Amino acid sequence: QELVNLVDSLFGAKAEFGCHTLIRHIEKGLIKDKAWRVEILENVFRLAANAEHPFRKICALGSTDTLCGQLSGGLRLNMDELALRSRAVTLLLQDDISKARNLFEEIPLPRLPKSDCSTPWVYDSTAYYNALQVIISTGLTPEEKARGEGMFLLANAIREADSAQQIQALFEIIQKLDLSNANLNSAMTALVERMKKLDEHPRSFRIGAGGLARLGLELARYSAKRRISNVEFLEEIRDLMATTFHSLGC
């Protein structure tokens, strides 16, 4: 009864704190009843819509001594709306794949605000791509896998990515998906085409450039081990980095 009262009280707390704490209770295995876990996670998904911040915000100023830096640090806990919903879906997959899939489909592909010199913020939607990876890996039926549903979801995510943060998140999850050689080659080709069209302000790009280069090289090595050409992929990363860093910054 004490746990029931605690859960009830958390649903009345501020959305980000209540959702985060409920998710942590389930992650720690404190909610033993499967049906209750499913109910809690469905409610968390809905309640997360009331979170103050729709995405994780990263302070481009780099200092933790400012309000900008302090908020950025707090949002590392994945307490924005997108992260809370993505975490709820990932946990729900363990108990009810159908409900998890349905909820994930309610999360739109992230359209992040464009950052420029007038704002101290850049935005991060990595949590969405982490959930996408788990959906593709464990949330598809054999029939869906056979007809290429996972590759459809991945290709759509690549096509809609429009920031360095999103591209590097895709670099990371592709290595975890155990794609066939044909699908890995298709994903690499799609990434090259998407990077050619990436239009991001230099300030925002530079925040994610380190991760983009590191994870891009990791993906290139991974593809090379699979005997898939990575020449055009590496050339596009080089050109993207060179073009952006030679542009005027703030």
Side-chain angles (χ1 to χ4, degrees), residues 84-115:
L84 290 168
R85 287 188 152 190
S86 299
R87 292 165 67 193
V89 164
T90 300
L91 284 172
L92 188 54
L93 275 169
Q94 300 172 25
D95 287 322
D96 193 318
I97 290 177
S98 178
K99 286 184 177 179
R101 286 281 305 278
N102 288 338
L103 290 182
F104 184 73
E105 289 174 2
E106 292 186 30
I107 306 176
L109 278 161
R111 290 290 187 182
L112 304 180
K114 292 295 185 182
S115 301

mmCIF file of all heavy atoms in Angstrom, residues 84-115:
data_model
loop_
_atom_site.group_PDB
_atom_site.id
_atom_site.type_symbol
_atom_site.label_atom_id
_atom_site.label_comp_id
_atom_site.label_asym_id
_atom_site.label_seq_id
_atom_site.Cartn_x
_atom_site.Cartn_y
_atom_site.Cartn_z
ATOM 1 N N LEU A 84 11.619 11.468 -21.892
ATOM 2 C CA LEU A 84 10.719 10.722 -20.999
ATOM 3 C C LEU A 84 9.833 9.772 -21.798
ATOM 4 O O LEU A 84 9.640 8.605 -21.420
ATOM 5 C CB LEU A 84 9.861 11.696 -20.190
ATOM 6 C CG LEU A 84 10.604 12.516 -19.121
ATOM 7 C CD1 LEU A 84 9.725 13.636 -18.603
ATOM 8 C CD2 LEU A 84 11.075 11.625 -17.970
ATOM 9 N N ARG A 85 9.308 10.244 -22.905
ATOM 10 C CA ARG A 85 8.455 9.384 -23.729
ATOM 11 C C ARG A 85 9.260 8.231 -24.335
ATOM 12 O O ARG A 85 8.795 7.085 -24.391
ATOM 13 C CB ARG A 85 7.791 10.208 -24.837
ATOM 14 C CG ARG A 85 6.680 11.108 -24.312
ATOM 15 C CD ARG A 85 5.904 11.767 -25.430
ATOM 16 N NE ARG A 85 4.537 12.052 -24.977
ATOM 17 C CZ ARG A 85 3.575 12.457 -25.789
ATOM 18 N NH1 ARG A 85 3.803 12.628 -27.068
ATOM 19 N NH2 ARG A 85 2.363 12.687 -25.314
ATOM 20 N N SER A 86 10.452 8.532 -24.788
ATOM 21 C CA SER A 86 11.295 7.494 -25.389
ATOM 22 C C SER A 86 11.702 6.454 -24.356
ATOM 23 O O SER A 86 11.722 5.243 -24.650
ATOM 24 C CB SER A 86 12.540 8.143 -26.015
ATOM 25 O OG SER A 86 12.189 9.055 -27.040
ATOM 26 N N ARG A 87 12.006 6.895 -23.147
ATOM 27 C CA ARG A 87 12.358 5.954 -22.075
ATOM 28 C C ARG A 87 11.171 5.068 -21.712
ATOM 29 O O ARG A 87 11.322 3.863 -21.472
ATOM 30 C CB ARG A 87 12.847 6.723 -20.841
ATOM 31 C CG ARG A 87 14.181 7.426 -21.036
ATOM 32 C CD ARG A 87 14.445 8.444 -19.943
ATOM 33 N NE ARG A 87 14.647 7.799 -18.647
ATOM 34 C CZ ARG A 87 14.641 8.467 -17.488
ATOM 35 N NH1 ARG A 87 14.409 9.777 -17.470
ATOM 36 N NH2 ARG A 87 14.848 7.830 -16.356
ATOM 37 N N ALA A 88 9.982 5.667 -21.657
ATOM 38 C CA ALA A 88 8.777 4.892 -21.329
ATOM 39 C C ALA A 88 8.524 3.814 -22.385
ATOM 40 O O ALA A 88 8.211 2.662 -22.052
ATOM 41 C CB ALA A 88 7.572 5.819 -21.209
ATOM 42 N N VAL A 89 8.670 4.167 -23.648
ATOM 43 C CA VAL A 89 8.461 3.207 -24.732
ATOM 44 C C VAL A 89 9.468 2.070 -24.643
ATOM 45 O O VAL A 89 9.119 0.884 -24.798
ATOM 46 C CB VAL A 89 8.557 3.913 -26.098
ATOM 47 C CG1 VAL A 89 8.726 2.897 -27.225
ATOM 48 C CG2 VAL A 89 7.322 4.768 -26.342
ATOM 49 N N THR A 90 10.722 2.402 -24.395
ATOM 50 C CA THR A 90 11.770 1.378 -24.317
ATOM 51 C C THR A 90 11.481 0.377 -23.202
ATOM 52 O O THR A 90 11.634 -0.836 -23.384
ATOM 53 C CB THR A 90 13.139 2.045 -24.090
ATOM 54 O OG1 THR A 90 13.418 2.929 -25.179
ATOM 55 C CG2 THR A 90 14.242 1.005 -24.017
ATOM 56 N N LEU A 91 11.042 0.862 -22.051
ATOM 57 C CA LEU A 91 10.698 -0.036 -20.941
ATOM 58 C C LEU A 91 9.438 -0.841 -21.250
ATOM 59 O O LEU A 91 9.354 -2.032 -20.928
ATOM 60 C CB LEU A 91 10.495 0.774 -19.657
ATOM 61 C CG LEU A 91 11.762 1.283 -18.974
ATOM 62 C CD1 LEU A 91 11.402 2.236 -17.836
ATOM 63 C CD2 LEU A 91 12.607 0.127 -18.441
ATOM 64 N N LEU A 92 8.478 -0.209 -21.896
ATOM 65 C CA LEU A 92 7.213 -0.884 -22.194
ATOM 66 C C LEU A 92 7.420 -2.054 -23.163
ATOM 67 O O LEU A 92 6.679 -3.038 -23.125
ATOM 68 C CB LEU A 92 6.214 0.119 -22.766
ATOM 69 C CG LEU A 92 4.774 -0.353 -22.976
ATOM 70 C CD1 LEU A 92 4.190 -0.937 -21.686
ATOM 71 C CD2 LEU A 92 3.913 0.809 -23.484
ATOM 72 N N LEU A 93 8.431 -1.969 -24.009
ATOM 73 C CA LEU A 93 8.733 -3.057 -24.944
ATOM 74 C C LEU A 93 8.963 -4.383 -24.221
ATOM 75 O O LEU A 93 8.707 -5.454 -24.771
ATOM 76 C CB LEU A 93 9.972 -2.720 -25.769
ATOM 77 C CG LEU A 93 9.767 -1.870 -27.022
ATOM 78 C CD1 LEU A 93 11.102 -1.396 -27.560
ATOM 79 C CD2 LEU A 93 9.021 -2.658 -28.090
ATOM 80 N N GLN A 94 9.449 -4.310 -22.989
ATOM 81 C CA GLN A 94 9.741 -5.532 -22.236
ATOM 82 C C GLN A 94 8.469 -6.238 -21.771
ATOM 83 O O GLN A 94 8.496 -7.434 -21.476
ATOM 84 C CB GLN A 94 10.624 -5.193 -21.037
ATOM 85 C CG GLN A 94 11.955 -4.561 -21.410
ATOM 86 C CD GLN A 94 12.723 -4.050 -20.206
ATOM 87 O OE1 GLN A 94 12.543 -4.536 -19.092
ATOM 88 N NE2 GLN A 94 13.583 -3.068 -20.411
ATOM 89 N N ASP A 95 7.359 -5.501 -21.713
ATOM 90 C CA ASP A 95 6.114 -6.071 -21.191
ATOM 91 C C ASP A 95 4.995 -6.167 -22.216
ATOM 92 O O ASP A 95 4.166 -7.076 -22.150
ATOM 93 C CB ASP A 95 5.621 -5.245 -19.995
ATOM 94 C CG ASP A 95 6.464 -5.450 -18.750
ATOM 95 O OD1 ASP A 95 6.902 -6.589 -18.514
ATOM 96 O OD2 ASP A 95 6.685 -4.467 -18.030
ATOM 97 N N ASP A 96 4.933 -5.221 -23.145
ATOM 98 C CA ASP A 96 3.847 -5.214 -24.114
ATOM 99 C C ASP A 96 4.336 -4.555 -25.409
ATOM 100 O O ASP A 96 4.287 -3.330 -25.559
ATOM 101 C CB ASP A 96 2.637 -4.462 -23.551
ATOM 102 C CG ASP A 96 1.369 -4.690 -24.365
ATOM 103 O OD1 ASP A 96 1.460 -4.692 -25.602
ATOM 104 O OD2 ASP A 96 0.298 -4.862 -23.761
ATOM 105 N N ILE A 97 4.827 -5.386 -26.324
ATOM 106 C CA ILE A 97 5.423 -4.862 -27.556
ATOM 107 C C ILE A 97 4.407 -4.076 -28.374
ATOM 108 O O ILE A 97 4.714 -3.012 -28.916
ATOM 109 C CB ILE A 97 6.015 -6.017 -28.396
ATOM 110 C CG1 ILE A 97 7.260 -6.577 -27.706
ATOM 111 C CG2 ILE A 97 6.363 -5.549 -29.802
ATOM 112 C CD1 ILE A 97 7.879 -7.771 -28.406
ATOM 113 N N SER A 98 3.178 -4.569 -28.463
ATOM 114 C CA SER A 98 2.163 -3.903 -29.270
ATOM 115 C C SER A 98 1.869 -2.500 -28.766
ATOM 116 O O SER A 98 1.832 -1.530 -29.541
ATOM 117 C CB SER A 98 0.879 -4.741 -29.284
ATOM 118 O OG SER A 98 -0.130 -4.087 -30.013
ATOM 119 N N LYS A 99 1.698 -2.362 -27.457
ATOM 120 C CA LYS A 99 1.414 -1.033 -26.897
ATOM 121 C C LYS A 99 2.629 -0.111 -27.047
ATOM 122 O O LYS A 99 2.477 1.082 -27.322
ATOM 123 C CB LYS A 99 1.016 -1.162 -25.429
ATOM 124 C CG LYS A 99 -0.391 -1.713 -25.229
ATOM 125 C CD LYS A 99 -0.794 -1.740 -23.767
ATOM 126 C CE LYS A 99 -2.240 -2.234 -23.623
ATOM 127 N NZ LYS A 99 -2.675 -2.297 -22.207
ATOM 128 N N ALA A 100 3.818 -0.673 -26.872
ATOM 129 C CA ALA A 100 5.032 0.138 -27.029
ATOM 130 C C ALA A 100 5.148 0.660 -28.462
ATOM 131 O O ALA A 100 5.465 1.840 -28.683
ATOM 132 C CB ALA A 100 6.260 -0.680 -26.650
ATOM 133 N N ARG A 101 4.886 -0.198 -29.429
ATOM 134 C CA ARG A 101 4.943 0.219 -30.833
ATOM 135 C C ARG A 101 3.927 1.314 -31.118
ATOM 136 O O ARG A 101 4.222 2.300 -31.808
ATOM 137 C CB ARG A 101 4.673 -0.984 -31.741
ATOM 138 C CG ARG A 101 5.803 -1.994 -31.862
ATOM 139 C CD ARG A 101 6.883 -1.524 -32.809
ATOM 140 N NE ARG A 101 6.363 -1.189 -34.112
ATOM 141 C CZ ARG A 101 6.114 -2.063 -35.083
ATOM 142 N NH1 ARG A 101 6.334 -3.349 -34.868
ATOM 143 N NH2 ARG A 101 5.657 -1.663 -36.244
ATOM 144 N N ASN A 102 2.718 1.135 -30.613
ATOM 145 C CA ASN A 102 1.668 2.128 -30.860
ATOM 146 C C ASN A 102 2.043 3.482 -30.270
ATOM 147 O O ASN A 102 1.816 4.534 -30.895
ATOM 148 C CB ASN A 102 0.341 1.653 -30.274
ATOM 149 C CG ASN A 102 -0.261 0.502 -31.062
ATOM 150 O OD1 ASN A 102 0.048 0.308 -32.234
ATOM 151 N ND2 ASN A 102 -1.116 -0.277 -30.414
ATOM 152 N N LEU A 103 2.616 3.475 -29.067
ATOM 153 C CA LEU A 103 3.016 4.736 -28.445
ATOM 154 C C LEU A 103 4.186 5.362 -29.200
ATOM 155 O O LEU A 103 4.223 6.587 -29.397
ATOM 156 C CB LEU A 103 3.383 4.514 -26.972
ATOM 157 C CG LEU A 103 2.224 4.176 -26.037
ATOM 158 C CD1 LEU A 103 2.721 4.023 -24.602
ATOM 159 C CD2 LEU A 103 1.125 5.241 -26.099
ATOM 160 N N PHE A 104 5.131 4.543 -29.628
ATOM 161 C CA PHE A 104 6.279 5.090 -30.361
ATOM 162 C C PHE A 104 5.826 5.789 -31.640
ATOM 163 O O PHE A 104 6.383 6.826 -32.020
ATOM 164 C CB PHE A 104 7.276 3.982 -30.696
ATOM 165 C CG PHE A 104 8.529 4.484 -31.372
ATOM 166 C CD1 PHE A 104 9.481 5.190 -30.652
ATOM 167 C CD2 PHE A 104 8.738 4.266 -32.731
ATOM 168 C CE1 PHE A 104 10.636 5.673 -31.278
ATOM 169 C CE2 PHE A 104 9.883 4.739 -33.357
ATOM 170 C CZ PHE A 104 10.839 5.445 -32.626
ATOM 171 N N GLU A 105 4.820 5.230 -32.283
ATOM 172 C CA GLU A 105 4.315 5.842 -33.511
ATOM 173 C C GLU A 105 3.666 7.199 -33.247
ATOM 174 O O GLU A 105 3.495 7.989 -34.182
ATOM 175 C CB GLU A 105 3.317 4.900 -34.185
ATOM 176 C CG GLU A 105 3.984 3.675 -34.798
ATOM 177 C CD GLU A 105 2.996 2.660 -35.336
ATOM 178 O OE1 GLU A 105 1.769 2.941 -35.269
ATOM 179 O OE2 GLU A 105 3.432 1.595 -35.802
ATOM 180 N N GLU A 106 3.326 7.482 -31.998
ATOM 181 C CA GLU A 106 2.767 8.793 -31.648
ATOM 182 C C GLU A 106 3.851 9.862 -31.472
ATOM 183 O O GLU A 106 3.542 11.052 -31.395
ATOM 184 C CB GLU A 106 1.950 8.690 -30.360
ATOM 185 C CG GLU A 106 0.672 7.873 -30.488
ATOM 186 C CD GLU A 106 -0.170 7.933 -29.226
ATOM 187 O OE1 GLU A 106 -0.103 8.968 -28.523
ATOM 188 O OE2 GLU A 106 -0.882 6.958 -28.934
ATOM 189 N N ILE A 107 5.098 9.419 -31.370
ATOM 190 C CA ILE A 107 6.206 10.379 -31.234
ATOM 191 C C ILE A 107 6.615 10.820 -32.630
ATOM 192 O O ILE A 107 7.108 10.004 -33.419
ATOM 193 C CB ILE A 107 7.415 9.764 -30.516
ATOM 194 C CG1 ILE A 107 7.017 9.160 -29.181
ATOM 195 C CG2 ILE A 107 8.498 10.824 -30.317
ATOM 196 C CD1 ILE A 107 8.160 8.447 -28.460
ATOM 197 N N PRO A 108 6.452 12.079 -32.985
ATOM 198 C CA PRO A 108 6.859 12.509 -34.329
ATOM 199 C C PRO A 108 8.375 12.505 -34.458
ATOM 200 O O PRO A 108 9.102 12.663 -33.466
ATOM 201 C CB PRO A 108 6.295 13.935 -34.422
ATOM 202 C CG PRO A 108 6.197 14.395 -33.002
ATOM 203 C CD PRO A 108 5.898 13.176 -32.178
ATOM 204 N N LEU A 109 8.858 12.291 -35.669
ATOM 205 C CA LEU A 109 10.294 12.428 -35.899
ATOM 206 C C LEU A 109 10.720 13.827 -35.465
ATOM 207 O O LEU A 109 10.080 14.818 -35.833
ATOM 208 C CB LEU A 109 10.613 12.224 -37.376
ATOM 209 C CG LEU A 109 10.713 10.764 -37.821
ATOM 210 C CD1 LEU A 109 10.563 10.656 -39.324
ATOM 211 C CD2 LEU A 109 12.037 10.177 -37.379
ATOM 212 N N PRO A 110 11.756 13.927 -34.642
ATOM 213 C CA PRO A 110 12.116 15.224 -34.058
ATOM 214 C C PRO A 110 12.433 16.290 -35.093
ATOM 215 O O PRO A 110 13.233 16.084 -36.002
ATOM 216 C CB PRO A 110 13.373 14.880 -33.230
ATOM 217 C CG PRO A 110 13.265 13.423 -32.949
ATOM 218 C CD PRO A 110 12.617 12.833 -34.166
ATOM 219 N N ARG A 111 11.763 17.420 -34.962
ATOM 220 C CA ARG A 111 12.063 18.615 -35.744
ATOM 221 C C ARG A 111 12.604 19.651 -34.775
ATOM 222 O O ARG A 111 11.851 20.352 -34.107
ATOM 223 C CB ARG A 111 10.799 19.139 -36.431
ATOM 224 C CG ARG A 111 10.289 18.257 -37.557
ATOM 225 C CD ARG A 111 11.209 18.309 -38.748
ATOM 226 N NE ARG A 111 10.671 17.605 -39.893
ATOM 227 C CZ ARG A 111 11.311 17.474 -41.044
ATOM 228 N NH1 ARG A 111 12.507 18.007 -41.170
ATOM 229 N NH2 ARG A 111 10.778 16.810 -42.056
ATOM 230 N N LEU A 112 13.902 19.718 -34.666
ATOM 231 C CA LEU A 112 14.521 20.562 -33.647
ATOM 232 C C LEU A 112 14.542 22.021 -34.087
ATOM 233 O O LEU A 112 14.734 22.314 -35.274
ATOM 234 C CB LEU A 112 15.945 20.090 -33.375
ATOM 235 C CG LEU A 112 16.104 18.622 -32.964
ATOM 236 C CD1 LEU A 112 17.569 18.293 -32.727
ATOM 237 C CD2 LEU A 112 15.285 18.321 -31.715
ATOM 238 N N PRO A 113 14.365 22.948 -33.139
ATOM 239 C CA PRO A 113 14.499 24.363 -33.481
ATOM 240 C C PRO A 113 15.900 24.646 -34.027
ATOM 241 O O PRO A 113 16.885 24.036 -33.596
ATOM 242 C CB PRO A 113 14.285 25.073 -32.128
ATOM 243 C CG PRO A 113 13.561 24.072 -31.283
ATOM 244 C CD PRO A 113 14.041 22.727 -31.719
ATOM 245 N N LYS A 114 15.987 25.532 -34.984
ATOM 246 C CA LYS A 114 17.285 25.896 -35.540
ATOM 247 C C LYS A 114 18.000 26.858 -34.599
ATOM 248 O O LYS A 114 17.421 27.814 -34.109
ATOM 249 C CB LYS A 114 17.104 26.554 -36.917
ATOM 250 C CG LYS A 114 16.590 25.598 -37.985
ATOM 251 C CD LYS A 114 17.603 24.505 -38.282
ATOM 252 C CE LYS A 114 17.142 23.614 -39.433
ATOM 253 N NZ LYS A 114 18.092 22.522 -39.694
ATOM 254 N N SER A 115 19.260 26.579 -34.348
ATOM 255 C CA SER A 115 20.061 27.427 -33.465
ATOM 256 C C SER A 115 20.917 28.371 -34.300
ATOM 257 O O SER A 115 21.420 27.996 -35.360
ATOM 258 C CB SER A 115 20.964 26.566 -32.579
ATOM 259 O OG SER A 115 20.205 25.676 -31.797
#
